[in-house]
Amino acid sequence: MAGAVISGVHATRAGALPEESCLSLHAQSASGAVADAGLRLEDVDGVLCAYSFTEPHLMLSSVFCEYMGLQPAFSSAIQAGGATACIMLAHAAALVRSGQCRHVLLVTGDNRLTGMPKGGAVAALAEVGHPQFERPYGISVPAAYGLVAQRYMHEYGVTAEALAAVAVTARAHAMRHPKAHRRDLLTPEMVASSRPIAAPLRLHDCCLVSDGGAALVVSAGEAAADLRRPPVAVLGLGQGHTHEHIVAAPSLTSFGCKQAAARAFGEAGVAPADIDVAEIYDSFTITLLVELESMGFFERGAAGPAALAGALTHGGQLPCNTHGGLLSYGHSGAAGGMFHIVEAVEQLRGEAGDRQVPDAELAFVHGDGGILSAHCSIVLGRH
C-alpha cells in the first residue's frame, strides 16, 4: 500500500476542562493516537505541532517533544489558523511519501475556555485584522464573517432560516457524540431568538470556544502491516489561497476553497458526488454554506435550502460534520480542525457508533483559516 495512511487518531472531550493545560491536552491526544495505531512513542520519527493561545511559544513542537521525551528526526510547528490541521496532514503525507519519515505524529490542543479570561480567545483573534486598514476601525472576526453573510444573502437569497438549519443539524449530530461540548437541544426558534453577534449572525451561528485536544499519526503505506487499526488512505490533497485580510479579498462570495477542493478531488480521481461523508470547517453557519457551494457539493444558493430539507444529516444527500463540528462539538484552536479529521477517520473505520454513516468509503475534510483566507482540502478513503 503505497503513499500515506492515517494509522491512529485520538480526540479528548471538548468543553470546560479546568484541570487540563495546553501541554496536558497535547500529551493525552498524542498518547491516545500512538496507542490507537498500535505503536510506541519511540516509533515516532516525525512530529508536527500547531500553536497555542494559552501557552504560546515560537517552537511549540520542540516544547512538546521535550515534554514527552521525544527526539524525532523531524520536528516543526505550523500555524495557518483553522486550516492548520489539514495543512499539517499535507506536510506529514509529504514526509512519509518522500521517505524522510515512517510515522509522523500530528498534535493539536488548547484550553481556550478555562485557560483564558472570558472573551480572551475572541480578543486574541482581533490580531487577524489588517493593522492599518481593519484593526483601527474595530473589526472583529465575527464582523468579517457577518460581512460575507450579508453579501451572500444579497446575491444568492440565503435566509436566516437556512443558517439556523446548519446550527440545528450540527447540534443534533453532537447530541450523538459523548465527547461533544454542547449536547443540549437546539431548535430553529432558539437560534432565531439568540442574541445578535454581528448581523446577520446570532449567537448560535457562531462556533464555540472550548478546551480540548486531538492528534493523529500519519504513516508510510508500507507500514500498514505493523498497525493495530485498519489504515485510512490519504487519496488527495489540495490548497487554495486568495488573500489574508478581508479588505484584500478579491470577492466576498468566492474563496480559495474552490481551488483547494478541485486539486484534492483531482489527485484522488473522484468528484463531489462520490463523497459519502464530509467534515467541513464551520466556524460560522455561513462558512459551511459558502464552502459547500464553492467546492461543488451544491449549486450556488442551493446549500441553504438543502440544509433546511435535511440534506446534511444522516440519510441525506451529504452527511456533514457528523460529530457536531465547531458549532457544537467544540472549537479549541487548531484542534477544532483536527476534530474534523478524527471524525472522518472514525467514520471510514466504521467506529462512529450512533453517528455512523452506513458503508462510508470516501470522506472529504476541509479546513480554512483567517477570514476564509487559507484553505486545505483532503480526500480520505477506506482501504
Side-chain angles (χ1 to χ4, degrees):
M1 186 163 59
V5 300
I6 298 176
S7 53
V9 297
H10 184 79
T12 72
R13 287 191 303 114
L17 307 173
E19 70 280 7
E20 304 294 348
S21 67
C22 166
L23 284 176
S24 76
L25 290 166
H26 276 62
Q28 285 185 44
S29 304
S31 298
V34 171
D36 186 57
L39 301 171
R40 301 167 301 169
L41 275 175
E42 50 264 40
D43 295 321
V44 170
D45 54 2
V47 173
L48 298 176
C49 281
Y51 56 92
S52 167
F53 279 7
T54 59
E55 296 187 36
H57 197 284
L58 291 175
M59 299 172 63
L60 188 59
S61 185
S62 297
V63 171
F64 166 75
C65 288
E66 181 181 77
Y67 188 81
M68 297 295 289
L70 290 169
Q71 296 182 346
F74 186 97
S75 173
S76 182
I78 294 175
Q79 184 166 330
T84 299
C86 290
I87 290 178
M88 288 168 71
L89 177 53
H91 277 259
L95 286 168
V96 299
R97 286 170 175 170
S98 67
Q100 295 180 70
C101 294
R102 186 172 178 84
H103 301 292
V104 182
L105 175 61
L106 285 60
V107 194
T108 60
D110 220 345
N111 55 329
R112 291 187 176 186
L113 179 58
T114 62
M116 302 182 75
K118 187 175 181 179
V122 176
L125 286 170
E127 297 302 309
V128 172
H130 193 288
Q132 290 175 283
F133 304 117
E134 293 178 351
R135 282 189 226 163
Y137 304 99
I139 192 170
S140 66
V141 171
Y145 276 89
L147 186 66
V148 171
Q150 289 189 23
R151 187 64 192 178
Y152 219 80
M153 286 175 152
H154 173 74
E155 288 202 23
Y156 299 110
V158 177
T159 64
E161 291 75 19
L163 296 177
V166 171
V168 170
T169 300
R171 182 62 57 84
H173 291 170
M175 290 171 72
R176 301 186 181 200
H177 201 306
K179 294 182 178 180
H181 185 167
R182 294 294 299 270
R183 302 183 66 205
D184 50 319
L185 179 67
L186 183 65
T187 66
E189 294 76 20
M190 293 167 69
V191 178
S193 63
S194 63
R195 73 176 187 270
I197 300 298
L201 303 176
R202 294 180 173 272
L203 178 65
H204 293 300
D205 289 304
C206 307
C207 65
L208 302 173
V209 176
S210 315
D211 300 334
L216 57 87
V217 180
V218 174
S219 299
E222 64 269 18
D226 304 333
L227 304 175
R228 178 170 173 261
R229 297 284 195 186
V232 168
V234 181
L235 301 177
L237 295 157
Q239 294 187 40
H241 306 273
T242 55
H243 65 284
E244 172 53 32
H245 303 101
I246 194 66
V247 71
S251 168
L252 288 178
T253 59
S254 182
F255 301 96
C257 47
K258 179 177 181 179
Q259 292 86 352
R263 288 162 184 152
F265 286 132
E267 183 179 354
V270 301
D274 298 319
I275 298 299
D276 299 307
V277 60
E279 311 295 341
I280 297 173
Y281 205 79
D282 55 335
S283 49
F284 299 89
T285 50
I286 189 62
T287 312
L288 184 59
L289 296 184
V290 168
E291 293 185 338
L292 284 169
E293 294 177 7
S294 295
M295 297 185 295
F297 289 103
F298 297 95
E299 296 295 326
R300 292 287 187 178
L308 281 165
L312 304 183
T313 192
H314 296 79
Q317 177 183 343
L318 183 71
C320 188
N321 294 346
T322 45
H323 60 315
L326 305 175
L327 291 167
S328 281
Y329 182 92
H331 191 359
S332 50
M338 193 68 84
F339 292 146
H340 286 72
I341 303 175
V342 171
E343 176 69 10
V345 171
E346 292 183 345
Q347 287 285 345
L348 294 177
R349 297 196 310 198
E351 298 173 353
D354 290 344
R355 312 180 312 283
Q356 185 62 50
V357 174
D359 304 316
E361 295 188 358
L362 285 176
F364 179 86
V365 184
H366 184 82
D368 87 72
I371 314 300
L372 290 159
S373 308
H375 295 268
C376 184
S377 298
I378 305 165
V379 177
L380 301 175
R382 187 175 69 191
H383 185 75

